[in-house]
Amino acid sequence: MDVSQYLDVFIDETKEHLQNLSDCIMTLEREPENMDTINEIFRAAHSLKGMAGTMGFKRMQHLTHDMENVFQEVRSGNKNVTSGLVDILFRCLDALDVYLENIQNTSDEGTDDNASIIKELNDILNGDDDDLDGEAAPEEASQEDTAQETMSEGAVKGDLRQLTDKDKEAIREAIGKELHVYGITACVNEDCMLKAARAFLVFKAAEEFGTILAQTPSAQDIEDENFELSFTFYLAAKESEEPIVAAAKAVSEIAEVTCREILAEELDEKPETEAAADTEQEHEAEAVQPPAAVNAIVESAAPGKPEKAAQSAGKKQAANKPVTSRTVRVDIEKLDAVMNQVSELIIAKNSLVSISTSEGESMNNQAFHDQIESLERITTDLHESVMKVRMVPIESVVNKFPRMIRDLSKKLDKKMELYMSGEDTELDRTVVDQIGDPLQHLLRNSADHGLENAELRKERGKPETGMIRLNAFQEGNNVIIEVSDDGGGIDTEAVKNKAIERGIITREQSETMSQKEIIDLLFMPSFSMAKKITDVSGRGVGLDVVKSNIEALGGDVEVASTIGEGSKFTVRLPLTLAIIQALMVEIRDGKYAIALGSIQKIESISVNEIKYVQAEEVINIRGQVIPLIRVDNILDLEPKEEEEENLTVVIVKKGEKSAGLVVDNLIGQQEIVIKSLGKYIENNKIISGATILGDGEVALILDVNTLL
Amino acid sequence: MANVIVENDAKQYIVVRLGDEQYGIDIRYIDNIVRMQKITRVPKVQPYFRGIIHLRGEIVPVMSICTKMGLPNNEITNDSRIIILKIEAQGLIGIIVDEVKEVVTLASAEIDKVTHNTKDEKSNFINGVGKHEGELISLFDLNSVVGEKEAV
């Protein structure tokens, strides 16, 4: 079955389920008794497994299957939720994430079996973990050698559940042909060096008597030695069990062989959890080696081949671009709105056509103007709707953070809690995609540098558990995301000394610097305050990257900090990238656009008011001294022949900084569509793009951030 | 139609004039030819970029191939045109030519390959010379025409 067309849906939904799982497991850790959460987890894990199975991602399915088994135990009350369990579950999620990423990039899940995680899951199932619930599964695993009888019962029966329908069908068929079907579990010596070879010999011995119908773990896993001490296979034979067991035991380094006849009824005992477990992939894999082809196993240990071929095919694909495109899920209501506006647009166009063909001058003019007005309204609405379609809540990015903070808390051995608000704040998809990394950096920074350890916090009279806040909200045409902590704040003296030590500033300079300027030093490339390099932060590739990433999105980042009380990073991002409100100005004969968001006010200044500070022109506006920037100079334009008495100055600000831009003329406010200058022109940064005006003329967009 | 012979190795070139010389541009890379229009100057860019123009809702950078090759600057006349090239994924780019003359078909036998002569800057942008009706046409190597390298 070709399932590639469902790949996009699969990836989307898997992401959702994984996120859901992560959230629920977090909740579960806090409220281990919450049945609703457990059920929710169970459902999510189950759907994941089903989907992975249908798509033929066998390893993914395998892992989720084992996870599900653990949840099953938790649900039925046989297991308690412990921190260790949660850790393992999170590692499962990470592994699933890796699979998903592989699938997204290459449409193949990769070759990592994550055997260690699976083993740990099974250990939990078998009661080997450190929780106190000792009676959960006493017979299995730990007592393999002594209680073989019970073990084989348990194991064979347990393994029956792991069979696919296809295998079961084969077994049923064999029983139908009046053959005996034995479930044989063999156990190799603990110190056995070549488990796979021993298993192979056992299979070979068994095949003297009949046909191997199925095996768990799979032939591939056995070949790769991907199994614990025991393995089970199903043999259809005419003989009674004794000679078979004897033959299997004759293989050296085989500790135990247990055998049990499988009856047809047992096959139908299907625990509910298994219902959706069957996979196309398994069918295919098994189909390549049906009972008749069992010789292949004997002669060349070939069962792995079909899968390997599939893998190499997958690898070839890996060289190509990601196989899925970026998508936005759109609320159908939003699409309906767009559709409606488009139909209005068509009506307006038709009216215009009919006006142009009808006769009578005076009538025309009135109707014409009406239509133009309605056109204007429709296009504005349409723009708004389309923008809305592109907007997604930042939730998709931030909801992985609680998990990250939990991990950091363990890693750094600090107690901390993340509080988030405003996750439903919406941003343009392109911005949301790129804001994740910078925010992650900031949170790590808060966790590592910001928060003190528990003792120090106690000493300072703060609650032991540190607090990190992530708050997002919309403010005008911007979205603000604040990351704050109640830690130690930024020690400006330390920063200063470090900067001097690194030769970034001189001692003299440092004396005249304001607090804010010193804090800004943190954003310099390769400036790290961490005393020792940890893998959390401290490599000096933190804040400068954050800053440049955010600036690339047209935003900026600011820090406010009070020593002893904590610090707050404020990230400001434009709501959308493509269309902005701008002030159009004229400088000589060129038209330029300045983003309205960065404009504070517009002043008319007489030439006499210009003062000089360090040979730089400044103006004093109501007590505030701000530098004057001659834009024409920067743009290499011809100076004016005659300076006018009064200058038009557009006051712009970026964070705390302001400056006055001298322009020749104001044209007015306009909504402009930002176009890139293309790849050929070397980016000079003063011009961030261009826009096409109503008359077809091109205007350049001045980037205030670089001018300041 | 029977006497139309399609030559597999023949390519079509648009012949343009730059100063007194004739150059050929492979027709496959030409998106459009537009009349001279107002070019909006962009400050602080490579000197051979004249600026940007508006073409069907897109912004297209325009460069002077003459400046890039170290020839005297184009004189803008009524015959001047902007040839819009489309080269792979890099988007559109316009080059200014003094006149667009005709379309010629050159078989590979009619093209002499040129080897790069480092002393002659112009030849860095040429990858062949075509002979057509007794005239010589220098054929642009478009990748180096739009590329970063500039004649010094």
Side-chain angles (χ1 to χ4, degrees):
Chain A
M1 188 173 88
D2 180 26
V3 289
S4 55
Q5 51 177 322
Y6 305 118
L7 203 58
D8 282 344
V9 182
F10 169 72
I11 288 169
D12 261 12
E13 293 195 350
T14 307
K15 270 188 191 155
E16 261 169 45
H17 284 305
L18 283 179
Q19 186 54 52
N20 198 359
L21 272 176
S22 164
D23 290 349
C24 287
I25 295 175
M26 289 290 289
T27 323
L28 195 64
E29 195 179 22
R30 258 175 278 133
E31 313 158 21
E33 303 299 323
N34 190 332
M35 258 345 248
D36 284 348
T37 317
I38 296 172
N39 285 332
E40 177 72 39
I41 290 178
F42 190 77
R43 272 195 296 275
H46 188 76
S47 336
L48 257 185
K49 186 180 79 170
M51 289 192 318
T54 328
M55 296 297 291
F57 298 122
K58 217 173 171 183
R59 292 186 177 78
M60 207 164 161
Q61 188 205 9
H62 198 95
L63 186 58
T64 40
H65 172 78
D66 287 356
M67 265 175 89
E68 196 187 342
N69 284 348
V70 173
F71 291 134
Q72 170 75 25
E73 288 294 298
V74 172
R75 185 160 78 159
S76 56
N78 289 340
K79 285 280 157 203
N80 289 333
V81 179
T82 59
S83 174
L85 176 65
V86 172
D87 277 343
I88 294 168
L89 290 178
F90 274 136
R91 278 178 49 211
C92 288
L93 292 189
D94 287 343
L96 289 173
D97 261 341
V98 173
Y99 283 144
L100 187 64
E101 205 171 296
N102 286 341
I103 292 166
Q104 202 163 2
N105 291 332
T106 64
S107 80
D108 185 69
E109 59 181 333
T111 53
D112 189 354
D113 282 319
N114 284 304
S116 68
I117 298 178
I118 290 178
K119 179 180 176 302
E120 278 178 68
L121 283 174
N122 285 323
D123 285 351
I124 289 181
L125 270 183
N126 296 338
D128 272 2
D129 69 337
D130 53 354
D131 79 22
L132 302 168
D133 194 3
E135 61 202 288
E139 294 100 325
E140 281 174 288
S142 56
Q143 296 165 30
E144 267 167 33
D145 297 328
T146 49
Q148 352 126 350
E149 205 52 45
T150 345
M151 181 209 78
S152 78
E153 279 291 318
V156 171
K157 191 148 184 159
D159 282 334
L160 250 188
R161 290 191 294 165
Q162 288 179 21
L163 290 176
T164 64
D165 277 351
K166 189 108 182 170
D167 291 336
K168 286 181 183 164
E169 201 46 57
I171 293 174
R172 242 178 242 130
E173 212 170 282
I175 294 173
K177 282 181 192 158
E178 294 188 358
L179 291 168
H180 299 284
V181 176
Y182 300 108
I184 300 171
T185 302
C187 223
V188 295
N189 281 343
E190 252 170 290
D191 53 356
C192 172
M193 296 297 286
L194 295 160
K195 290 190 289 182
R198 296 302 162 207
F200 181 57
L201 289 173
V202 171
F203 288 149
K204 195 170 177 182
E207 258 157 11
E208 301 279 304
F209 298 94
T211 315
I212 292 178
L213 298 173
Q215 45 204 302
T216 49
S218 70
Q220 174 72 42
D221 282 346
I222 291 179
E223 197 195 9
D224 294 342
E225 296 210 352
N226 232 331
F227 62 104
E228 294 303 300
L229 293 175
S230 68
F231 56 92
T232 302
F233 58 97
Y234 299 88
L235 185 75
K238 288 198 180 98
E239 257 97 338
S240 63
E241 58 180 82
E242 288 83 13
I244 303 174
V245 174
K249 271 187 182 165
V251 176
S252 58
E253 289 196 280
I254 293 293
E256 275 306 328
V257 177
T258 49
C259 182
R260 194 171 62 90
E261 186 160 358
I262 307 285
L263 303 171
E265 306 84 74
E266 287 177 61
L267 292 167
D268 301 323
E269 282 177 30
K270 217 179 181 186
E272 42 157 351
T273 55
E274 298 308 309
D278 322 317
T279 76
E280 290 300 324
Q281 174 86 33
E282 265 177 25
H283 288 184
E284 276 163 28
E286 300 298 341
V288 184
Q289 36 149 323
V294 163
N295 289 340
I297 304 180
V298 180
E299 278 155 19
S300 60
K305 275 188 180 165
E307 208 174 337
K308 273 184 184 153
Q311 277 165 17
S312 63
K315 268 179 196 137
K316 260 174 231 155
Q317 236 171 4
N320 298 334
K321 284 175 191 154
V323 288
T324 57
S325 51
R326 298 193 321 159
T327 53
V328 178
R329 282 199 178 194
V330 181
D331 187 346
I332 193 81
E333 273 178 33
K334 288 180 179 173
L335 276 185
D336 283 348
V338 173
M339 194 58 223
N340 278 337
Q341 277 140 7
V342 170
S343 43
E344 277 185 59
L345 203 60
I346 294 170
I347 295 168
K349 182 210 76 181
N350 289 344
S351 318
L352 281 176
V353 170
S354 77
I355 291 166
S356 73
T357 51
S358 70
E359 285 166 31
E361 283 279 312
S362 59
M363 273 289 289
N364 271 358
N365 245 337
Q366 182 54 34
F368 183 70
H369 278 292
D370 284 354
Q371 284 310 319
I372 292 288
E373 244 167 62
S374 87
L375 255 186
E376 231 173 70
R377 185 181 51 78
I378 297 165
T379 44
T380 316
D381 287 355
L382 192 60
H383 165 212
E384 218 166 86
S385 306
V386 173
M387 273 353 268
K388 270 195 196 139
V389 168
R390 288 182 59 95
M391 302 286 259
V392 289
I394 59 165
E395 207 176 353
S396 57
V397 175
V398 300
N399 53 16
K400 66 177 186 215
F401 292 145
R403 159 80 202 284
M404 187 189 89
I405 292 295
R406 178 191 173 275
D407 288 355
L408 281 179
S409 169
K410 293 222 155 174
K411 205 183 258 172
L412 298 168
D413 200 19
K414 288 180 186 174
K415 281 188 188 163
M416 59 184 86
E417 198 71 56
L418 175 69
Y419 299 92
M420 299 203 297
S421 54
E423 299 102 313
D424 53 351
T425 312
E426 291 195 327
L427 266 173
D428 194 283
R429 167 76 201 242
T430 40
V431 182
V432 168
D433 277 352
Q434 286 167 57
I435 194 62
D437 282 349
L439 286 183
Q440 193 171 332
H441 262 356
L442 289 180
L443 286 171
R444 279 166 177 263
N445 195 60
S446 286
D448 196 15
H449 306 310
L451 295 177
E452 316 95 323
N453 56 32
E455 296 95 69
L456 197 58
R457 289 185 68 87
K458 241 189 211 160
E459 233 171 76
R460 290 183 180 172
K462 293 182 195 176
E464 244 179 72
T465 307
M467 193 174 67
I468 300 177
R469 265 181 202 289
L470 191 142
N471 183 27
F473 55 94
Q474 193 179 337
E475 188 190 84
N477 261 341
N478 289 314
V479 164
I480 316 278
I481 303 174
E482 294 172 340
V483 176
S484 53
D485 61 71
D486 65 345
I490 297 169
D491 183 352
T492 45
E493 279 306 306
V495 175
K496 214 194 268 186
N497 292 335
K498 193 90 168 194
I500 295 169
E501 191 185 300
R502 294 262 166 96
I504 299 169
I505 51 168
T506 62
R507 194 162 290 282
E508 292 76 51
Q509 273 177 314
S510 77
E511 262 144 45
T512 56
M513 284 172 88
S514 70
Q515 292 287 70
K516 186 158 171 18
E517 282 172 312
I518 295 169
I519 291 176
D520 280 344
L521 286 174
L522 289 174
F523 290 107
M524 301 275 288
S526 64
F527 190 97
S528 175
M529 279 302 291
K531 300 207 170 56
K532 57 175 190 283
I533 288 175
T534 64
D535 59 347
V536 179
S537 55
R539 278 185 222 280
V541 285
L543 289 176
D544 64 311
V545 177
V546 170
K547 191 181 166 82
S548 57
N549 280 355
I550 289 171
E551 280 179 358
L553 294 172
D556 63 60
V557 54
E558 277 174 47
V559 201
S561 177
T562 319
I563 198 147
E565 281 174 28
S567 26
K568 178 160 94 182
F569 288 80
T570 308
V571 176
R572 186 183 303 267
L573 292 163
L575 210 48
T576 116
L577 295 175
I579 301 182
I580 57 164
Q581 289 284 341
L583 175 76
M584 302 302 300
V585 300
E586 212 168 19
I587 305 170
R588 302 303 171 269
D589 54 357
K591 285 178 184 158
Y592 299 85
I594 305 171
L596 214 56
S598 54
I599 296 178
Q600 222 171 3
K601 55 195 162 191
I602 299 166
E603 297 271 346
S604 178
I605 307 269
S606 131
V607 182
N608 311 330
E609 287 176 59
I610 299 177
K611 307 274 185 305
Y612 290 88
V613 171
Q614 293 174 334
E616 303 275 345
E617 289 181 312
V618 296
I619 44 173
N620 184 340
I621 293 176
R622 292 184 267 288
Q624 199 190 358
V625 178
I626 57 174
L628 207 58
I629 298 176
R630 300 273 184 173
V631 186
D632 49 353
N633 250 339
I634 292 177
L635 298 179
D636 301 327
L637 294 168
E638 300 285 312
K640 266 192 185 172
E641 283 159 20
E642 210 174 300
E643 181 132 32
E644 283 170 50
E645 284 285 296
N646 278 309
L647 300 175
T648 312
V649 179
V650 179
I651 316 276
V652 292
K653 65 160 184 182
K654 172 194 166 197
E656 302 286 293
K657 261 200 249 172
S658 308
L661 308 180
V662 182
V663 301
D664 293 351
N665 255 320
L666 299 174
I667 301 172
Q669 182 186 334
Q670 201 175 329
E671 200 166 57
I672 58 166
V673 182
I674 302 177
K675 298 269 177 191
S676 129
L677 292 185
K679 289 178 189 154
Y680 293 107
I681 290 192
E682 269 166 29
N683 193 0
N684 57 46
K685 290 211 169 161
I686 305 169
I687 307 296
S688 61
T691 187
I692 298 160
L693 302 177
D695 55 3
E697 217 182 303
V698 180
L700 300 175
I701 302 166
L702 290 175
D703 185 2
V704 172
N705 284 337
T706 22
L707 281 175
L708 287 190
Chain B
M1 296 300 282
N3 55 355
V4 177
I5 302 157
V6 182
E7 287 172 81
N8 283 333
D9 54 350
K11 282 183 185 170
Q12 285 191 307
Y13 290 88
I14 285 194
V15 180
V16 300
R17 182 173 63 81
L18 292 177
D20 300 327
E21 294 178 53
Q22 297 199 90
Y23 290 87
I25 302 173
D26 192 334
I27 208 161
R28 289 176 302 167
Y29 298 108
I30 296 183
D31 178 81
N32 205 347
I33 298 175
V34 296
R35 286 184 167 275
M36 207 58 199
Q37 52 178 284
K38 191 188 167 206
I39 300 177
T40 308
R41 197 189 67 98
V42 182
K44 301 203 195 296
V45 291
Q46 302 96 310
Y48 51 84
F49 269 111
R50 283 285 175 273
I52 50 181
I53 59 165
H54 164 208
L55 181 79
R56 298 182 306 239
E58 288 303 318
I59 298 287
V60 181
V62 176
M63 65 175 186
S64 161
I65 185 67
C66 288
T67 316
K68 197 170 185 180
M69 292 199 298
L71 296 173
N73 269 345
N74 309 71
E75 220 175 286
I76 305 299
T77 67
N78 224 5
D79 289 332
S80 297
R81 294 287 184 277
I82 302 173
I83 296 192
I84 312 291
L85 302 174
K86 186 174 192 171
I87 295 165
E88 290 302 301
Q90 299 201 63
L92 300 175
I93 184 168
I95 60 175
I96 302 171
V97 299
D98 293 339
E99 190 185 348
V100 175
K101 301 188 88 162
E102 59 183 328
V103 178
V104 298
T105 306
L106 296 176
S108 57
E110 294 171 293
I111 299 174
D112 289 340
K113 292 274 168 224
V114 291
T115 44
H116 287 284
N117 179 357
T118 41
K119 278 181 192 159
D120 183 10
E121 290 135 10
K122 268 193 289 177
S123 76
N124 288 335
F125 300 96
I126 305 298
N127 61 7
V129 175
K131 284 165 284 194
H132 183 74
E133 290 170 4
E135 293 198 53
L136 294 183
I137 304 164
S138 313
L139 304 177
F140 276 128
D141 173 6
L142 290 177
N143 277 319
S144 41
V145 167
V146 300
E148 284 300 306
K149 230 177 74 196
E150 190 184 348
V152 233

